[in-house]
Amino acid sequence: MLAYLTYDLSTLFLLMVLLVAVVTDLRRNRIPNWLTFGTLVCGLLLQYTFLGSDGLIAGLAGAGMGLVLLIPFFLLGGMGAGDVKMMAAVGTLLGFKPVMMAAALSLCLAGLYALLLITLKGEWSSLLQRYFVSLRTSTYVAPAAGSVARQRFPFALAIAGGTLSVLAMQSQLDFYHLANELTYQWQLWGEG
């Protein structure tokens, strides 16, 4: 029973971590190291405690995949190091394959948000012009001051959205095992 219940408990932990990450990223444009590294360590400990060495391997594989998938965007200047570390930390709890989907969905959500901002601010012509000049001259043309492309994006929002989508697809947001256990304990308490 404990092995099944761990999925619900780790999901609750992950939801709390994502909430803190989103709030701090919105307020400070940063995801703190104590949150990313603390989540990474707790995720690995949870995996090992509940699932043994197989869980630890799954957590390490998920962390590695989360790191590998987003580090190119960091190296190109498209996101901060905290975003990459957060996806690695999320990977400890999701595992190898689910973190790939969460990262892909996070990038899609961030892209959709950027397209929405560009549309709302009416910056399509300046964006396209900048890219055509960059392609023609083979040099990077920096965006103008004040443009959408210069704004910082709280990527923790996208990570949360991508992760929640994966959790929903895996039916982990219904907390089936936790609800059953609480119902069972409630019934025992009522009989006693």
Side-chain angles (χ1 to χ4, degrees):
M1 176 64 177
L2 190 57
Y4 293 112
L5 193 55
T6 185
Y7 293 113
D8 289 350
L9 295 176
S10 64
T11 299
L12 281 174
F13 174 68
L14 181 55
L15 292 174
M16 289 187 300
V17 165
L18 291 171
L19 178 64
V20 172
V22 167
V23 169
T24 57
D25 203 11
L26 285 170
R27 286 186 178 170
R28 300 186 190 126
N29 285 323
R30 301 181 90 60
I31 303 173
N33 284 334
W34 63 264
L35 183 62
T36 57
F37 290 125
T39 302
L40 190 127
V41 169
C42 286
L44 293 175
L45 285 173
L46 282 170
Q47 291 281 17
Y48 182 72
T49 300
F50 292 116
L51 302 173
S53 59
D54 289 342
L56 181 61
I57 291 168
L60 288 169
M65 182 53 66
L67 185 72
V68 165
L69 289 171
L70 293 190
I71 205 150
F73 297 97
F74 166 72
L75 294 175
L76 293 171
M79 67 178 54
D83 302 322
V84 178
K85 292 181 280 188
M86 180 51 62
M87 187 54 75
V90 166
T92 63
L93 294 159
L94 290 181
F96 186 79
K97 287 182 181 178
V99 81
M100 286 192 290
M101 179 65 79
L105 289 170
S106 298
L107 291 167
C108 289
L109 288 171
L112 289 172
Y113 178 74
L115 293 174
L116 178 66
L117 280 180
I118 290 167
T119 302
L120 291 175
K121 300 277 183 167
E123 294 187 13
W124 276 106
S125 63
S126 62
L127 175 80
L128 294 173
Q129 182 181 20
R130 190 167 58 86
Y131 279 113
F132 286 136
V133 170
S134 291
L135 287 172
R136 197 169 359 125
T137 62
S138 298
T139 57
Y140 175 71
V141 177
S147 72
V148 170
R150 286 260 177 140
Q151 292 179 4
R152 294 183 64 96
F153 172 66
F155 196 72
L157 279 170
I159 292 173
T163 303
L164 285 171
S165 298
V166 168
L167 291 172
M169 283 186 271
Q170 294 178 336
S171 299
Q172 286 185 320
L173 294 177
D174 60 6
F175 299 102
Y176 173 78
H177 301 291
L178 185 60
N180 281 344
E181 182 63 21
L182 290 174
T183 301
Y184 175 71
Q185 292 300 327
W186 183 258
Q187 289 172 348
L188 286 179
W189 186 67
E191 292 173 6

